[in-house]
Amino acid sequence: MKFREITTFLFAALVSFHVKAQDVLKYVDPNIGTAHSRWFYFTPAAVPGGMAKLAPSTNGHYGNASGWEAVGYDVRQNSIEGFVHFHEWQVGGVSFMPTTGSLKLNPGELDKPGSGYRSAFSRQNEVAQPGYYKVLLNDYQITAELTATKRVGFHRYTFPKTDQAHIILDIGQTQGESGKVVDSGIHMVDDTHFEGYVITYPKYVAQYDPEGKVAMFVYGQLSRKPETITAFNAGGIQAGSINVSGKGAGFALNYNTSADDILEIKVGLSYTSTANAKANLLAEAAELTFDEAKSLASKTWQQELGKIYVESLNVNDKIKFYTGLFHALLGRGTASDVNGAYPKHGGLSGQLSEQENKYGFMNTDAIWGAFWNVTQLWSLSYPDWYQRFVNTHLRIYKDRGWFGDGIANSQFVSGVGTNFIGLTIAAAYQLGLRDYDVKLAYEAIRKNELGWQNRPKGSGKMDTRAFLKFNYVPQVGDGKNFISDSTGSSFSASHTLEYSFSAFAAAQMAKSLGNDADYKMFMGYSNGWRKLFNPANKLIQPKTATGEFIKDFDPYEAWRGFQEGNAKQYTYYVPHNPAALIGEVGNGQFNETLDGIFKDAEKKGFGGGKTIDAFAGINAVYNHGNQPSLHISWLFNFSRQPWLTQKWTRMICDQFYGTEPIHGYGYGQDEDQGQLGSWYVLTSLGLFDVKGFTDLRPIIEFGSPAFDKASITLGNKKILVIETKNNSKEHVYVQNLTFNGRNIQNCWLYRDELMKGGKLVFTMGSEPNKNWGTSAPPPSAQ
């Protein structure tokens, strides 16, 4: 090839890549699913995995009565009370709001226009896209724009002509899941710089880690000195002050503006100190303009979203795909500073080693079912994210001697109490992600499965002693209250199933490390689910400590023995040994019953119907809106009817997921830090693993790809192309499959083979090919 031909080819390749990267952003719609969405859900002005997650708030100051419900931005509400910087699980704070006219210092009430500084807005004048947000505040005729780098938030406000322009820095207000404000403060460093802090006590910290607290720090740079400053706190206006503290602390920066006058603010963020907030600002944004930051955020999203490029004439499917991928890369944000400082327990600051700081430290909700979505996606194309997760939790273990089920600034904020951190790290090891102290990791995993003495509540698994004694968790209480202690649990059956699965993961890592004694021990515990399988009704049924199945058993009843689900759903929670479960039920009955479950579930959109409630489907036969059910549609691969996995996974993608603000994720279900979006991404590619990659040699199962072509940049930089021939909404069944020209007769492949890259070609049809993928089901190696 001649030089000119080479350069022309390279230029064309670069142009092609640029076009692809540009194309994907237009398919992201952050407004999807914003009815009943969680605090960290709608944060468009952010970069992937950022600390700075800026977003408008319609109701954030109302707080959160139970500590976890939908709050922040709701598409059904039509006024904005401020633009908030911190949005994580149990972490929220620092709201700014531009206004004009008479100064008001509280946000006001949703149903009382004019009662505070909030403003009406129209969604026709709203722009939300990856890395950028823009809206016209109708009451003030101010255009507000937001963007961000990883740790710096950018505001640009365009004002009308007025001698009563204000920017309210409402530092000390409750926001979202933050819980009550313990203290706050703000002061002017000089004419155009300020620094501040807010310390909060979230409900889940109070419940699971009562000595903890969550601190947030800011260092801000104004584009122009204000004419005057009005300082205030919960006690009212603090006349003449430029240094105010206490609950409710804040400033109103007052200006005279001409028509289309622009005022800008850069805000460095930190969880450790105002000094580090300043250092973050200087490192990431010292000379960066708003437009440059916006452009950089867009390019970052293009690069990260573009690692998986799908092609299809169906625009809605691409919107679902890239919005789901956007959510997956938005959740679980960075919590460490550029210099490696990170928040330790009790408001202290720690320092990551150089090795740890390669990945950084993150905030994260409990992993619960994310091994069926988020971590599988990370391992496919974003392995550094997985490494960050592992290193974060090993840092927690080094600091505190236990894993936390979920963490907020190193505080334990357990939500479900089962603690799958060990399983998640064991899976990372089996995937070859090992850039950490492996010996320490196994020590921590082992303790997470076996440790019960002096175990802190926020580490979850408070019924570990009971599980180790009986090899199942006995039922205690009536399910109306959350009880979990050394005698058993009110969620006894679901805990037994979950602990059996995590014991299996620990066993496989033990075997990899040559520890046969631990392998045999953990494999014994992994069979705990068998203790609760009732051969009379072919269901998992809770037992008492005396070994008797509980009386008055209703398989549709949630909470009594089953956390956020019921026996109909949880009976299929044996992901580590589907073959054994199928054997207990009987292959024919298993397929007939499970197919019937999905036929029934289809009538309610595979969840709670059109009820807008995170728990709408927990009494149903199947609930795609919550984690415990997410692997079930893939079990037909194990029962030698893979065409039913193909049928039902495609139907769930088509019907459960929507492209509207209300329908988005099952009419207001729990798109918890990108977990349901990640499931769509994986399933629409036709890839999944029921075992969450915990096997000694992990596999990939095949489903029904939704796209004509997908080009995936794998984590090892190789390229995997998935081509789907004869694809359509009606052609959901695999007729044959080839990988790099080789016929694949199984509905699965060892993952290490797939990760070598190449071309996977599915040929589809409108009727099942019942001879394909049935001879050798995925292994249930025991």
Side-chain angles (χ1 to χ4, degrees), residues 150-151 334-342 351-361 388 391 395:
K150 183 176 283 189
R151 301 174 180 87
T334 298
S336 52
D337 300 315
V338 291
N339 61 10
Y342 73 97
Q351 184 64 42
L352 300 177
S353 68
E354 183 177 348
Q355 166 70 10
E356 291 171 323
N357 204 32
K358 284 170 54 180
Y359 302 105
F361 186 91
R388 184 184 310 147
N391 276 276
R395 181 72 260 170

Side-chain angles (χ1 to χ4, degrees), residues 765-777:
S766 59
E767 297 294 329
N769 177 0
K770 295 185 178 181
N771 295 316
W772 181 83
T774 59
S775 59

Side-chain angles (χ1 to χ4, degrees), residues 117-150:
Y117 57 63
R118 70 170 55 244
S119 172
F121 74 106
S122 168
R123 285 182 173 79
Q124 294 178 333
N125 297 320
E126 182 184 49
V127 176
Q129 61 193 39
Y132 177 68
Y133 179 81
K134 178 181 179 180
V135 70
L136 175 65
L137 300 173
N138 291 350
D139 293 357
Y140 307 120
Q141 290 301 296
I142 296 170
T143 298
E145 298 173 89
L146 310 171
T147 191
T149 62
K150 183 176 283 189

Side-chain angles (χ1 to χ4, degrees), residues 170 257 552 703 710:
D170 204 346
T257 56
D552 303 318

